[in-house]
Amino acid sequence: GESVGLHLPTLSVQEGDNSIINCAYSNSASDYFIWYKQESGKGPQFIIDIRSNMDKRQGQRVTVLLNKTVKHLSLQIAATQPGDSAVYFCAEILSGGSYIPTFGRGTSLIVHP
Amino acid sequence: DAGVIQSPRHEVTEMGQEVTLRCKPISGHNSLFWYRQTMMRGLELLIYFNNNVPIDDSGMPEDRFSAKMPNASFSTLKIQPSEPRDSAVYFCASSLGPYSNQPQHFGDGTRLSIL
């Protein structure tokens, strides 16, 4: 039969709104987490990271929240701009293991002017 | 600052041909990773090196794929012979580590099309 391509979850927002992108990670022992942004035709770009001894970390217009109880990570983008349109990936790493990140499947963010 | 540099950016070739992808990691980074990205499978780790030594190549799909890192500033990923199912975007990434919590930095990839 015909193979079906992967359809990424999509979040559409208006310019100026706040965006929240969610990620469920798989390993409760993971203790380091990274968010990447991938624009069309480019490689994933590091945005922000957080270690498991924290539950919140802020950067410039971005905030990452970590809820270890339910294995959930979120990326909040304030005052979303058209340049924020991209696919966003979360990655989890287990320290003391291979230190190789496990990437999520990604969420497509579309910002409408 | 120069990031990870990959070449070529695009490659179109006929099946059966040898394909060589190249990567220059960020200076001072001692870990290098090769990934493949497709819509069906997302981002897959193929192989990674630490201090120029291959550590884990379990992600390499088959013997047609090989990777080398002759020195700290250069790596190649080779496919011989190439097949249409190898069509994908191939990324190289580097990091400080791997035995530390440091993010990987990616190049802009090589978009490979095998006809």
Side-chain angles (χ1 to χ4, degrees), chain A residues 49-77:
Chain A
D49 58 3
I50 188 169
R51 287 168 170 74
S52 60
N53 61 350
M54 304 172 69
D55 53 21
K56 180 178 180 180
R57 189 168 187 217
Q58 289 185 290
Q60 187 176 18
R61 280 202 307 119
V62 295
T63 300
V64 56
L65 299 178
L66 174 63
N67 185 331
K68 296 182 287 294
T69 301
V70 295
K71 295 189 291 184
H72 184 267
L73 198 64
S74 68
L75 178 71
Q76 300 179 358
I77 305 174

Side-chain angles (χ1 to χ4, degrees), chain B residues 4-101:
Chain B
V4 174
I5 299 172
Q6 292 186 245
S7 65
R9 288 299 313 279
H10 303 274
E11 176 87 14
V12 180
T13 192
E14 293 185 344
M15 66 177 293
Q17 299 296 308
E18 178 180 289
V19 173
T20 300
L21 311 182
R22 298 173 177 80
C23 175
K24 176 178 169 53
I26 293 173
S27 178
H29 283 190
N30 55 18
S31 292
L32 183 140
F33 308 80
W34 282 102
Y35 287 89
R36 178 171 67 177
Q37 186 177 47
T38 61
M39 284 300 295
M40 284 293 293
R41 301 172 70 91
L43 200 59
E44 300 175 276
L45 177 65
L46 301 177
I47 186 171
Y48 75 94
F49 296 82
N50 187 42
N51 292 326
N52 313 337
V53 176
I55 302 300
D56 185 351
D57 65 353
S58 59
M60 297 284 261
E62 46 196 277
D63 292 344
R64 297 185 297 107
F65 285 69
S66 62
K68 294 182 180 179
M69 192 165 185
N71 57 63
S73 59
F74 183 66
S75 178
T76 59
L77 177 68
K78 187 174 292 187
I79 308 173
Q80 167 64 20
S82 58
E83 296 183 3
R85 59 192 169 123
D86 302 329
S87 297
V89 182
Y90 290 80
F91 289 105
C92 175
S94 69
S95 72
L96 298 167
Y99 305 114
S100 64
N101 285 338

